[in-house]
Amino acid sequence: MLTNRQLFLSYLGQTSAEPLMLEISRAEGVFLYGPSGEKYIDLISGVSVSNTGHRHPRVTEAIKKQTDSYLHLMVYGEMIQSPQVEYAALLSSILPSTLNNCYFVNSGSEAVEGALKLAKRYTGKSRIIYFNNAYHGSTHGALSIQGSEKYRGAFRPLLPDTLQISFNDLSSLDAINKDTACVIIEPVQGEAGVIYPVKGFLEKIRNRCSENDALLVFDEAQTGFGRTGFMFAIDRFGIVPDIVVLAKALGGGMPLGAFISSKEIMSSLIANPQLGHITTFGGHPVCCAAGLASLKVIMEENLVAKCNTRSAIFKRELVHPLIKEVRGEGLLLAIRLTESRFVQYAIKYAPSYGIILDYFLFCDNAFRIAPPLIISEEEILTACRQVKLLLDDAMRNAANG
Ligand code: PMP
């Protein structure tokens, strides 16, 4: 009989020459467990998904309750399903008042596709402006606005009338003009290695968009739900986009995405043509029930405020000769090392030190630390101790040639 490892390599579509290949049989809180009892602290949350930890009891309870009522009923937007409507209303209550109309989909990429279509439809224009090192997903539209030719180039032709400009270069914003349908931006760039906008950058984008009747789209797939020490990056910067994209932690561990705008903007999907965006499974009731429960946990357990104190412990503890910088706020941190070969070593051998780390797509000199927001002080201390032992090992290994 083939082992799971052999089945994985034989039957699953592979995209990586060196997949992590860790077998996990159970996950709970900040821990992942292997089949023989191996225990790992999850320092990446499945890439900014498990903000309330793995299998939070309130999330699994909501999932079980929903499976006792109904699963899929009908394509999106026809039947009234309480997890969807309650979740949309709660999201609206914590977002700026103009972001009050929610379209649920299945993933971040899909939410980006919806947002781009909505911007084109509402403005009647086609040009989409995006930034270098942006990551918005892997579907054709999202790939067309990915700020790295390395991943994009092989799949041409892509969406026409897209324009890449430079993140944090205020002069590049002059490209936003009357032809622009929308500007899409991660308010804090994630895959670029946690890059914050310089002062005045988002303000200028907001102004240029308003002056030119272009919509501003914030992709908060990674920054949402407390990750940066604010519920949304919108709150961190005090800039209100016309459309916000949410995903990842939105589903509390289940697949869910959303694009949210004003009712006026969203209404442009109703006519000419009717059914301007269709999804079979978008806003699946079980995923909405899970996401709703997870958001209530974030709010009631005050995880956003706690995120900042936890961030400070990481910053205090992560001092090591190989660490050049701990970049970021909240629990979305880039640990920049002296050389990228140490990053590769650290990620590869992290599991043997009982921790899970990960890469950034467009930043090879740093690794990611983005644990569940529920991580305790003691767990952080253990994790940091292990990171430092791992880096000691990387240093020793380099010295030995
Ligand atoms: N936008 C951002 C900012 C992301 O980080 C990601 C995923 N890393 C996506 C969109 C795409 O989300 P998904 O993988 O769910 O399609």
Side-chain angles (χ1 to χ4, degrees):
M1 204 173 83
L2 293 180
T3 62
N4 280 351
R5 196 182 165 86
Q6 290 164 325
L7 292 171
F8 176 89
L9 290 173
S10 300
Y11 293 109
L12 282 194
Q14 301 291 334
T15 56
S16 166
E18 275 190 74
L20 204 48
M21 293 277 280
L22 268 190
E23 186 167 355
I24 300 300
S25 50
R26 193 167 68 83
E28 188 165 345
V30 300
F31 295 105
L32 304 179
Y33 298 91
S36 313
E38 306 90 331
K39 185 175 174 181
Y40 311 100
I41 301 182
D42 179 2
L43 290 178
I44 55 173
S45 309
V47 186
S48 301
V49 169
S50 317
N51 285 16
T52 50
H54 294 275
R55 291 172 55 246
H56 191 287
R58 285 181 59 189
V59 173
T60 51
E61 188 193 310
I63 292 172
K64 287 176 192 153
K65 196 160 161 245
Q66 184 55 40
T67 60
D68 285 340
S69 304
Y70 54 86
L71 304 180
H72 176 77
L73 295 179
M74 177 56 177
V75 296
Y76 182 76
E78 298 295 330
M79 290 186 177
I80 299 166
Q81 306 183 30
S82 67
Q84 270 182 6
V85 294
E86 277 179 44
Y87 199 11
L90 183 62
L91 287 167
S92 167
S93 76
I94 60 168
L95 283 163
S97 61
T98 46
L99 297 172
N100 55 22
N101 212 247
C102 177
Y103 192 120
F104 283 118
V105 289
N106 302 284
S107 67
S109 304
E110 235 189 286
V112 165
E113 301 292 339
L116 299 182
K117 279 177 66 185
L118 180 59
K120 287 168 78 174
R121 185 69 194 83
Y122 181 73
T123 61
K125 301 186 268 185
S126 60
R127 179 159 313 149
I128 298 163
I129 293 187
Y130 65 100
F131 292 89
N132 60 310
N133 287 340
Y135 186 81
H136 299 291
S138 204
T139 51
H140 260 99
L143 186 64
S144 308
I145 52 166
Q146 190 173 121
S148 161
E149 190 57 23
K150 179 178 163 196
Y151 292 96
R152 196 178 49 194
F155 298 98
R156 291 188 184 285
L158 294 167
L159 214 54
D161 211 4
T162 56
L163 177 67
Q164 179 176 310
I165 61 175
S166 300
F167 195 87
N168 274 345
D169 173 1
L170 274 94
S171 67
S172 78
L173 303 181
D174 296 340
I176 304 169
N177 62 24
K178 288 284 175 208
D179 295 330
T180 310
C182 70
V183 175
I184 180 162
I185 186 168
E186 299 158 85
V188 176
Q189 285 196 314
E191 295 308 319
V194 189
I195 307 296
Y196 272 67
V198 293
K199 214 169 174 328
F201 189 62
L202 294 178
E203 287 83 347
K204 184 164 178 195
I205 297 176
R206 176 66 277 178
N207 291 339
R208 295 281 311 168
C209 284
S210 301
E211 286 158 16
N212 289 288
D213 300 316
L215 298 189
L216 173 56
V217 183
F218 271 8
D219 181 347
E220 292 229 34
Q222 246 184 94
T223 51
F225 300 98
R227 181 68 38 213
T228 67
F230 291 80
M231 183 59 92
F232 299 106
I234 289 174
D235 309 315
R236 161 72 171 77
F237 299 109
I239 302 288
V240 181
D242 301 293
I243 305 176
V244 66
V245 164
L246 300 177
K248 292 190 179 271
L250 175 71
M254 297 291 278
L256 191 63
F259 54 102
I260 302 180
S261 70
S262 68
K263 192 165 177 53
E264 185 213 335
I265 293 174
M266 193 67 82
S267 301
S268 45
L269 296 176
I270 294 178
N272 305 319
Q274 194 194 67
L275 298 172
H277 198 68
I278 302 177
T279 164
T280 300
F281 285 123
H284 192 284
V286 177
C287 304
C288 283
L292 177 62
S294 178
L295 177 54
K296 285 182 180 167
V297 169
I298 292 175
M299 293 168 73
E300 288 163 28
E301 295 186 7
N302 219 2
L303 291 185
V304 178
K306 287 180 188 161
C307 182
N308 289 314
T309 46
R310 282 157 185 162
S311 180
I313 307 172
F314 273 109
K315 288 183 176 171
R316 187 190 71 210
E317 295 296 317
L318 285 177
V319 177
H320 188 276
L322 290 192
I323 298 179
K324 287 270 274 197
E325 181 190 7
V326 178
R327 190 167 56 225
E329 295 175 8
L331 289 174
L332 181 57
L333 301 174
I335 315 302
R336 181 159 71 94
L337 301 186
T338 51
E339 290 177 53
S340 55
R341 66 186 168 130
F342 294 130
V343 173
Q344 285 156 21
Y345 187 94
I347 293 169
K348 184 168 176 187
Y349 293 103
S352 7
Y353 284 79
I355 49 178
I356 311 285
L357 302 174
D358 197 18
Y359 294 96
F360 292 104
L361 268 178
F362 312 133
C363 174
D364 64 4
N365 65 6
F367 61 79
R368 178 195 313 264
I369 286 198
L373 309 186
I374 54 153
I375 191 167
S376 69
E377 178 164 353
E378 204 184 317
E379 287 156 356
I380 297 174
L381 294 177
T382 307
C384 290
R385 200 167 50 239
Q386 294 307 97
V387 168
K388 287 187 281 188
L389 287 174
L390 168 64
L391 294 180
D392 285 346
D393 187 32
M395 218 158 55
R396 241 186 339 261
N397 191 271
N400 295 339

